Amino acid sequence: MLNAHNERRKLHCVKPLTWSNELAEQAQAFADECKIGQHSGSSDGENLADAWRIDGNGQPVLPALSDREAFETTWYCEVANYNFQDPKFKGGFTSGCREVNGHFTQVVWKDTCQLGCGRAECQMGTDPQGNPITGTHWVCRYRPPGNVNANDPSVLRKQVFAPGSPQCR
């Protein structure tokens, strides 16, 4: 997960994150609570992701995705919803990377320095027959948090850079 973050941060001309065992322990503890779709209320930045897959025999595939796949398909893909020329923060939950971009902006937020993540096997809901669906729940914490004053376009311009922007030179 750290490598996936840092590879994408490099494209956006910001320093790599360092791993924080403290944040990872906190993220893991919260992931283990399986509070799907709920943020923890931590003062650190936080991204959540959930996924599930069923094999040909109807059994869950765990983890449902690799950490890199979860990162790319739930957070970084939101780059498509971010206009670097007219930056606007769009928070919220989504599936299929539709409309929101707050997970992406947290990933590449210039002032964020540390990352810690955890994942857990959790019940994601039930199938049409009422059987529980088990999947993977990811929690990543960021320090200092991103998306601070993110409704101010001037803040976004100072924190979220387009790939190949002048900050890269």
Side-chain angles (χ1 to χ4, degrees):
M1 193 59 90
L2 179 63
N3 288 340
H5 275 75
N6 285 337
E7 288 167 15
R8 292 303 187 171
R9 285 176 64 84
K10 184 176 182 178
L11 293 176
H12 294 270
C13 313
V14 292
K15 292 180 182 176
L17 300 173
T18 60
W19 187 257
S20 165
N21 288 330
E22 176 190 0
L23 290 175
E25 288 170 13
Q26 293 170 2
Q28 186 62 56
F30 187 63
D32 288 339
E33 293 180 24
C34 292
K35 293 183 177 178
I36 308 304
Q38 295 180 34
H39 281 282
S40 67
S42 168
S43 61
D44 295 307
E46 186 173 75
N47 276 347
L48 309 175
D50 300 300
W52 62 91
R53 276 190 315 168
I54 306 297
D55 69 14
N57 297 318
Q59 297 300 308
V61 176
L62 298 169
L65 301 170
S66 71
D67 291 342
R68 181 176 298 278
E69 289 170 324
F71 169 85
E72 292 288 344
T73 62
T74 62
W75 301 333
Y76 188 77
C77 58
E78 292 177 5
V79 66
N81 305 326
Y82 191 81
N83 182 339
F84 292 96
Q85 284 68 50
D86 184 21
K88 290 184 177 70
F89 172 79
K90 299 175 192 168
F93 291 99
T94 188
S95 63
C97 282
R98 292 186 303 266
E99 299 177 27
V100 303
N101 62 29
H103 304 98
F104 159 72
T105 56
Q106 172 60 87
V107 165
V108 299
W109 197 262
K110 178 180 73 80
D111 287 349
T112 297
C113 302
Q114 295 181 309
L115 173 71
C117 302
R119 71 174 185 217
E121 294 176 10
C122 300
Q123 184 175 335
M124 301 284 159
T126 56
D127 68 16
Q129 293 76 35
N131 301 311
I133 298 172
T134 301
T136 308
H137 177 58
W138 286 266
V139 176
C140 282
R141 297 256 175 101
Y142 304 82
R143 190 178 289 159
N147 296 332
V148 177
N149 297 319
N151 291 321
D152 181 342
S154 68
V155 170
L156 290 170
R157 284 187 189 92
K158 292 175 185 169
Q159 291 292 328
V160 180
F161 306 134
S165 65
Q167 290 79 3
C168 292
R169 297 181 194 113

